[in-house]
């Protein structure tokens, strides 16, 4: 079973994991993800490969605690093992020389943007990155993003760090001021990706979004991850997760990601109980 | 003991004992209970021991049916098991899931005048008895060949090839994308029809033969075929199934509450969603469920849904019941359990509430015209016959397409119509030497036994191929 070589908290409820999975590390490309199962009875959930290193055979995952599975994952520590990891999955990002590329990352989307920024920079693009979060504590990977970008803009909703406002604002200013933008990549919460798509649509700027539908197998077998893109239905786990944002039906996607919400709520209560017991047990052991 | 053909013909076919419908729709316990020793013997006695046994011709792996039935009558279950296992390495599974009525039993001479010998039920009896008492043990009797063979996918085709190759002395590694081996046997076919314990036992007997399982490896992404060939594997057998669910492309198919049978069944079977919240994966099943399709997958989805407690489950099928491709036994079990069949009916659209959940299904009546290329009569819509049914759950089970992941990641593999891998039917070799394929990906009949048959043939030609190198 894959072992966690390093785990730390990057920000409240956001964790960094470095995991030993040599085969995945050897093949991972920007834009790809893995599917993992924390334990024998666990659910399969997708997580972006935020970084990979062939030499050490490791990949990096940045995980935001939002529900039962990510909570259980967050409980694991350096040295622990993860039951199953499958990957790398999905079609890699298109990496070419486009010119000036603006990358927008919101929340854990920052982690997903990072390997793409690195690769696009290596392909001689001019990289403008705009990363944002609710508040200062939640801005992650600032140094890494700065290193991967020619220009880095930081936004917080509450103005506690960088500029106050949404990540879309600096992009809007760039476009309106006539600065050349050849391509936009947006990864983050659905409302953000939708807003970016609406902003760039009238200008005809090619915009890519990395979608996050519910997934089960990640191999194209279940169709649970299907999304409407233009006139066709695509399976995000094999055809994506990146798609032309101007063609994505965000309304449908946003409804679909809610499909299991009621289950998740009930489940979370039980998991919290389980985890609190575990936490207090660990606390005792740690003393 | 001798008994005249006349007397044999007087014995009537013994029905398969089954759990009471009232009880079984509330649990996932196996429905068909199997024969006891006495019933098995009585049933086997019905066989006329034909000089020219047509039944054998109906079996895709040509089990010597009269010979094994003779041993059942004589009480030599170990010998019966050995006879079956000469050509079928997963008899506990085939005895349960083979469409006998269109294979061995259809060809049985007794079928002409009355009811055929219950070959499937007897095969199951022998295999279960054999497993229970450990009568036959597969073993490797030959010297190790020193050759490594990779098998991609652990469905019936992959498992059979792996077992056969291991017995031939090769060192075999199975690469499987999911976290559990078995393919459709674990993620598709439900527990109440094929207990997963049986699949696990079959897998563990392969482990005993020295077969290695490498789970969580998606060939084409985690590793490529070319890497395998460069890494000391002398041959590769591709058996990834045809696992991409088809949709009809009608309005509303992406609404909440609408899913493919593969997703629904995977959540319940592989992820154990019926045990939620003890297991973390949920499955949504509302009060009024419509399952679209008439094959085994549709029956499995409908009967699985029923066990999750809805008020009403429909099967919606565009042809008539006679044309349904599902096994007869499943259709009958589904009806006994209270599933309502809406035949000659096809959905044309799904309607929703303001939150994007399906609430209604619009259907159209169909009638049958001339036979199409599959030989079945083609259904055509009856103009103006549209009607609506309230539903909150729709499960689409209209068949599978091929996944092009491996073909895209591997140079030189020729594909036939619909993305099936092109293989030489004699050897199962693809257009690339050293790469073989079988099972659903090679466009077979999409049955467990056909997949196994191809796995066997492939193993034999792989054996020849690697020894010539
Ligand atoms: C391609 C892809 C890459 C992702 N990368 C990251 C990442 O790098 N870091 C990160 O923190 N999160 C990532 N996510 C989101 C992550 O998968 C979800 O946060 C996680 O599944 C939530 O599970 P949970 O049990 O903790 O929460 P739950 O309470 O079960 O779910 C909360 C919400 O998460 C989504 N979700 C739940 N189960 C699944 C599932 N099986 N598949 C997909 N979404 C699901 C649903 O929208 C759900 O409403 C990614 C998602 C996708 C599709
Ligand atoms: C719900 C359902 C019910 C059925 N009922 C019956 C029945 O009653 N009787 C009957 O005879 N037939 C039945 N069938 C059909 C039968 O199950 C299939 O024909 C048979 O399983 C095909 O076997 P296979 O070995 O080709 O592939 P599969 O059983 O599909 O197995 C393929 C395996 O390969 C894995 N895989 C795929 N791609 C890769 C990759 N790139 N790398 C690694 N692994 C990969 C998959 O995860 C899977 O585990 C049913 C099918 C379904 C879906
Ligand atoms: S393997 Fe299938 S077809 Fe062959 S004898 Fe057994 S049940 Fe009949
Ligand atoms: S055809 Fe029927 S009666 Fe004849 S050998 Fe086969 S099973 Fe027996
Ligand atoms: S997650 Fe199952 S097909 Fe994409």
């Amino acid at each position: 079973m894959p072992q966690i070589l390093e785990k730390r908290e990057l920000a409240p409820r956001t964790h960094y994991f470095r995991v030993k999975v040599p085969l995945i590390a050897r093949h991972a490309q920007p834009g790809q993800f893995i599917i993992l199962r924390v334990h024998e009875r666990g659910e399969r959930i997708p997580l972006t490969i935020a970084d990979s290193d062939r030499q050490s055979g490791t990949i990096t995952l940045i995980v935001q605690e939002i529900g039962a599975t990510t909570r259980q994952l967050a409980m694991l520590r350096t040295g622990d093992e993860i039951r199953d990891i499958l990957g790398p999955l999905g079609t890699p990002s298109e990496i070419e020389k486009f010119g000036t590329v603006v990358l927008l990352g919101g929340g854990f989307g920052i982690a997903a943007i990072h390997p793409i920024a690195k690769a696009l920079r290596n392909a001689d693009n001019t990289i403008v990155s705009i990363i944002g979060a609710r508040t200062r504590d939640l801005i992650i990977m600032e140094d890494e993003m700065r290193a991967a970008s020619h220009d880095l803009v930081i936004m917080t909703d509450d103005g506690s760090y960088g500029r106050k406002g949404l990540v879309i604002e600096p992009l809007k200013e760039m476009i309106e001021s006539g600065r050349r933008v050849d391509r936009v990549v947006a990864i983050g919460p659905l409302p953000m990706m939708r807003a970016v798509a609406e902003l760039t649509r009238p200008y005809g700027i090619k915009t890519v979004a990395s979608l996050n539908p519910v997934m089960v197998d990640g191999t194209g077998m279940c169709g649970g991850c299907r999304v409407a893109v233009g006139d066709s239905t695509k399976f995000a786990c094999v055809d994506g997760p990146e798609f032309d944002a101007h063609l994505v039906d965000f309304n449908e996607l946003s409804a679909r990601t809610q499909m299991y919400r009621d289950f998740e709520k009930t489940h979370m209560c039980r998991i919290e109980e389980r985890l609190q017991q575990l936490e207090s047990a660990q606390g005792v052991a740690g003393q | 003991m001798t008994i005249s053909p006349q007397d044999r013909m007087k014995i009537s076919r013994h029905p398969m004992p089954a759990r009471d419908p009232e009880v079984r729709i509330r649990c996932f316990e196996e429905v068909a209970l199997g024969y006891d020793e006495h019933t098995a013997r009585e049933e086997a006695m019905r066989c006329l021991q034909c000089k020219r046994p047509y039944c054998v011709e109906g079996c895709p792996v040509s089990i010597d049916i009269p010979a094994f039935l003779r041993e059942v009558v004589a009480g030599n279950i170990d010998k019966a098991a050995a006879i079956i296992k000469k050509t079928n390495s997963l008899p506990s599974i085939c005895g349960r899931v083979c469409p006998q009525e269109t294979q061995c039993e259809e060809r049985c001479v007794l079928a002409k005048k009355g009811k055929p010998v219950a070959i499937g039920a007897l095969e199951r009896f022998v295999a279960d008895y054999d497993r229970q008492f450990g009568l036959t043990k597969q073993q490797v009797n030959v010297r190790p060949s020193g050759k490594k063979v990779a098998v991609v996918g652990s469905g019936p085709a992959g498992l059979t090839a792996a077992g056969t190759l291991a017995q031939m002395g090769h060192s075999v590694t199975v690469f499987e994308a999911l976290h559990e081996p078995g393919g459709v046997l674990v993620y598709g076919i439900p527990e109440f029809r094929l207990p997963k314990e049986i699949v696990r036992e079959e897998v563990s007997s392969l482990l005993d033969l020295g077969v290695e399982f490498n789970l969580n490896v998606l060939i084409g992404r985690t590793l490529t075929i070319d890497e395998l060939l460069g890494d000391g594997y002398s041959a590769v057998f591709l058996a990834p199934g045809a696992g991409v669910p088809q949709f009809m492309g009608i309005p509303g198919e992406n609404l909440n509450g609408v899913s493919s049978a593969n997703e629904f069944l995977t959540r319940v079977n592989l992820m154990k969603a019926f045990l939620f919240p003890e297991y973390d994966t949920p499955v949504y099943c509302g009060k009024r469920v419509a399952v679209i399709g008439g094959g085994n997958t549709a029956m499995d989805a409908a009967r699985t849904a029923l066990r999750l407690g809805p008020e009403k489950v429909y099967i919606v099928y565009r042809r008539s019941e006679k044309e349904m491709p599902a096994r007869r036994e499943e259709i009958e079990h589904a009806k006994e359990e209270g599933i309502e069949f809406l035949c000659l009916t096809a959905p044309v659209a799904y309607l929703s509430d303001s939150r994007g959940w399906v609430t209604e299904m619009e259907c159209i009546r169909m009638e049958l015209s001339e036979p199409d290329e599959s030989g079945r009569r083609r259904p055509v819509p009856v103009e103006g016959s549209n009607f609506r049914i309230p539903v909150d759950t729709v499960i689409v089970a209209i068949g599978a397409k091929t996944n092009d992941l491996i073909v895209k990641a591997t140079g030189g593999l020729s594909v036939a119509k619909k993305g099936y891998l092109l293989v030489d039917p004699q050897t199962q070799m693809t257009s690339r030497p050293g790469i073989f394929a079988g099972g659903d990906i090679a466009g077979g009949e999409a049955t467990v036994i056909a997949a196994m048959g191809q796995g066997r043939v492939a193993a034999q030609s792989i054996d020849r191929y690697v020894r010539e190198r």
Side-chain angles (χ1 to χ4, degrees):
Chain A
M1 283 191 278
Q3 196 183 30
I4 301 170
L5 298 188
E6 189 186 353
K7 140 94 192 285
R8 55 192 158 84
E9 196 172 74
L10 282 188
R13 307 217 134 211
T14 307
H15 307 270
Y16 169 100
F17 290 86
R18 204 156 53 81
V19 189
K20 182 126 185 150
V21 271
L23 283 184
I24 301 178
R26 195 197 310 163
H27 295 89
Q29 293 177 59
Q32 290 190 301
F33 63 97
I34 53 104
I35 282 193
L36 62 72
R37 214 164 56 119
V38 177
H39 55 82
E40 193 50 54
R41 297 180 167 205
E43 185 173 17
R44 295 169 67 98
I45 64 153
L47 297 166
T48 305
I49 302 171
D51 205 350
S52 59
D53 180 44
R54 288 175 180 219
Q55 211 93 59
S56 62
T58 59
I59 62 166
T60 303
L61 305 173
I62 310 284
V63 185
Q64 203 173 31
E65 278 180 58
I66 63 155
T69 305
T70 46
R71 266 295 267 137
Q72 296 178 78
L73 186 59
M75 288 288 293
L76 300 181
R77 298 170 171 198
T78 301
D80 287 347
E81 289 177 334
I82 294 175
R83 185 80 186 101
D84 305 291
I85 304 187
L86 169 70
L89 302 173
T91 303
S93 308
E94 231 182 299
I95 305 295
E96 267 174 45
K97 182 163 180 183
F98 298 110
T100 299
V101 184
V102 180
L103 296 141
L104 301 99
F108 80 77
I110 303 173
I113 277 285
H114 174 247
I116 304 174
K118 269 205 312 193
L120 284 171
R121 181 164 186 161
N122 285 338
D124 279 343
N125 291 285
T126 303
I127 306 295
V128 179
S129 300
I130 310 170
I131 61 175
R134 245 181 17 254
T135 182
R136 174 177 197 139
D137 287 349
L138 299 177
I139 293 288
I140 55 170
M141 301 182 78
E142 181 184 341
D143 295 341
E144 289 90 336
M145 282 307 296
R146 199 173 296 286
S149 319
H150 294 93
D151 248 327
L152 176 73
V153 186
I154 296 173
M155 306 292 293
T156 49
D157 293 358
D158 62 2
S160 55
Y161 192 52
R163 279 177 56 185
K164 181 177 159 80
L166 303 173
V167 287
I168 189 170
E169 283 159 22
L171 174 63
K172 188 161 183 233
E173 290 157 17
M174 269 178 83
I175 296 172
E176 282 172 357
S177 72
R179 234 182 107 179
R180 193 188 161 100
V181 177
D182 297 294
R183 192 179 179 90
V184 171
V185 182
I187 309 184
L190 281 183
M192 167 203 140
M193 294 192 284
R194 185 203 324 239
V196 172
E198 288 322 313
L199 170 65
T200 56
R201 190 192 306 275
Y203 300 95
I205 301 170
K206 171 81 181 200
T207 301
V208 173
S210 180
L211 307 184
N212 55 350
V214 173
M215 295 188 176
V216 183
D217 59 300
T219 70
M221 180 271 278
C222 79
C225 63
R226 62 197 190 280
V227 288
V229 181
D231 291 332
S232 53
T233 290
K234 302 278 188 195
F235 288 6
C237 71
V238 284
D239 302 324
E242 289 175 15
F243 292 102
D244 182 340
H246 295 151
L247 298 178
V248 172
D249 182 342
F250 283 103
N251 287 336
E252 182 189 284
L253 179 59
S254 125
R256 282 181 65 74
T257 55
Q258 303 291 309
M259 171 139 175
Y260 277 98
R261 203 177 43 185
D262 292 346
F263 285 91
E264 285 148 7
K265 277 200 205 131
T266 4
H267 199 31
M268 211 36 213
C269 304
R270 294 191 42 132
I271 293 284
E272 281 302 333
E273 251 171 60
R274 231 198 270 169
L275 290 178
Q276 254 147 32
Q277 285 164 2
L278 244 168
E279 247 161 14
S280 59
Q282 280 192 350
V284 172
Q287 274 163 15
Chain B
M1 186 187 68
T2 46
I3 150 171
S4 73
Q6 285 74 17
D7 287 341
R8 287 179 195 269
M9 286 170 76
K10 279 192 201 128
I11 314 172
S12 48
R13 179 170 160 129
H14 298 76
M16 170 64 89
R19 211 176 288 279
D20 181 55
E22 286 298 312
V23 176
R24 72 191 193 222
I25 60 169
R26 269 176 259 120
C27 67
F28 280 78
E29 302 293 319
E30 190 169 17
V31 168
L33 297 171
Y35 287 159
D36 58 23
E37 235 179 301
H38 176 75
T39 317
R41 199 155 164 270
E42 294 272 303
E43 178 64 25
M45 246 180 241
R46 297 180 60 226
C47 170
L48 302 178
Q49 296 291 321
C50 305
K51 287 262 149 30
R52 173 150 184 219
Y54 287 103
C55 55
V56 177
E57 290 168 24
C59 170
V61 296
S62 311
I63 292 179
D64 189 345
I65 295 164
F68 101 74
L69 294 178
R70 198 157 55 230
E71 298 300 347
V72 173
V73 175
N76 303 324
I77 311 301
D78 53 339
K79 288 192 184 148
I83 293 167
I84 294 173
K85 282 195 166 173
K86 262 193 252 162
T87 55
N88 182 346
S89 54
L90 308 170
S92 286
I93 295 170
C94 295
R96 286 174 168 80
V97 305
C98 255
Q100 290 92 6
E101 69 273 15
T102 60
Q103 298 184 346
C104 52
E105 294 183 19
E106 180 182 50
R107 307 289 296 277
C108 172
V109 288
L110 294 182
K112 292 207 187 77
K113 291 222 190 87
K115 291 194 166 162
V117 177
I119 302 168
L122 286 164
E123 180 175 340
R124 166 185 164 151
F125 164 77
V126 170
D128 284 359
Y129 196 95
D130 176 27
R131 278 190 307 122
Q132 194 182 345
F133 298 106
L135 303 180
T136 60
K137 264 243 166 294
Q138 297 186 352
Q139 42 192 304
V140 186
N141 300 320
V142 295
R143 271 194 306 135
S145 68
K147 303 284 184 184
K148 289 205 306 180
V149 180
V151 171
V152 178
S154 62
L159 292 179
T160 306
T164 314
L165 286 161
Q167 281 177 303
M168 290 165 159
H170 306 299
S171 121
V172 183
T173 309
V174 178
F175 296 92
E176 166 58 51
L178 294 174
H179 57 254
E180 212 179 306
V184 172
L185 306 178
V186 294
Y187 78 70
I189 302 180
E191 181 76 22
F192 58 81
R193 202 148 75 77
L194 176 65
K196 300 307 153 228
E197 190 51 37
I198 297 178
V199 184
R200 276 194 289 274
E201 277 179 36
E202 298 298 353
V203 169
S204 93
S205 75
L206 293 184
L207 291 171
D208 292 343
L209 290 176
V211 173
E212 237 183 85
F213 283 84
N214 231 330
L215 305 177
N216 297 311
V217 176
L218 181 64
I219 296 297
R221 294 254 204 253
T222 316
L223 270 174
T224 63
I225 308 270
D226 290 295
E227 282 174 296
L228 292 177
L229 291 172
D231 191 30
Y233 288 96
S234 311
V236 179
F237 177 57
L238 296 176
V244 179
Q246 244 173 326
F247 288 92
M248 294 172 68
I250 59 178
E253 233 171 358
N254 292 350
L255 290 171
N256 283 353
V258 182
S259 63
S260 76
N262 275 8
E263 179 184 355
F264 183 77
L265 290 169
T266 300
R267 283 178 179 273
V268 178
N269 296 329
L270 181 71
M271 306 309 296
K272 306 259 178 295
F274 65 99
L275 298 173
F276 180 86
E278 270 71 53
Y279 282 71
D280 289 345
T281 307
V283 66
Y284 169 75
C285 185
K287 293 275 169 255
R288 298 179 58 82
V289 182
V291 176
I292 318 301
N296 285 318
T297 310
M299 297 304 141
D300 284 345
R303 296 175 66 204
T304 299
L306 190 72
R307 283 158 174 75
L308 299 172
E311 287 157 10
K312 188 84 215 168
V313 180
Y314 298 104
I315 287 270
V316 181
Y317 181 56
R318 60 192 182 135
R319 294 183 163 97
S320 72
E321 192 184 314
K322 213 169 79 226
E323 282 85 15
M324 281 191 172
R327 294 177 77 222
R328 200 67 237 165
E329 191 183 13
E330 310 317 325
I331 296 174
E332 265 142 34
H333 281 159
K335 285 185 165 168
E336 281 168 23
E337 290 170 5
I339 288 163
E340 189 175 325
F341 284 49
L342 301 176
C343 291
L344 291 168
T345 304
V348 290
Y350 304 107
L351 305 140
S352 71
D353 63 13
S354 59
R355 290 163 49 246
W357 281 82
V358 64
T359 52
E360 247 187 323
M361 164 169 86
E362 178 163 327
C363 294
I364 191 163
R365 298 248 180 256
M366 308 293 276
E367 58 192 12
L368 296 177
S369 71
E370 331 70 61
D372 64 8
E373 70 270 22
S374 75
R376 289 179 302 176
R377 294 175 65 197
R378 199 164 52 87
V380 288
V382 179
E383 209 63 50
S385 65
N386 299 41
F387 64 100
R388 289 184 178 184
I389 316 173
V391 292
D392 54 17
T393 307
V394 174
I395 303 171
V396 183
I398 58 162
K401 295 189 292 192
T402 51
N403 194 331
D404 61 4
L405 192 76
I406 291 179
V407 171
K408 273 192 188 160
T410 315
L413 288 178
S414 304
V415 293
K417 223 176 43 189
K418 297 182 180 166
Y420 293 117
L421 283 177
L422 205 61
V423 294
D424 174 342
Q426 243 77 59
T427 63
Q428 298 294 130
M429 180 129 72
T430 65
S431 50
R432 255 185 80 175
I435 303 181
F436 299 74
D440 284 1
I441 193 63
E445 280 145 69
T447 60
V448 169
I449 188 71
M452 287 177 44
Q454 294 187 353
R456 234 186 121 70
V457 170
Q460 283 154 352
S461 39
I462 289 171
D463 180 57
R464 281 194 301 276
Y465 178 86
V466 299
R467 285 181 197 280
E468 276 164 15
R469 242 106 281 256

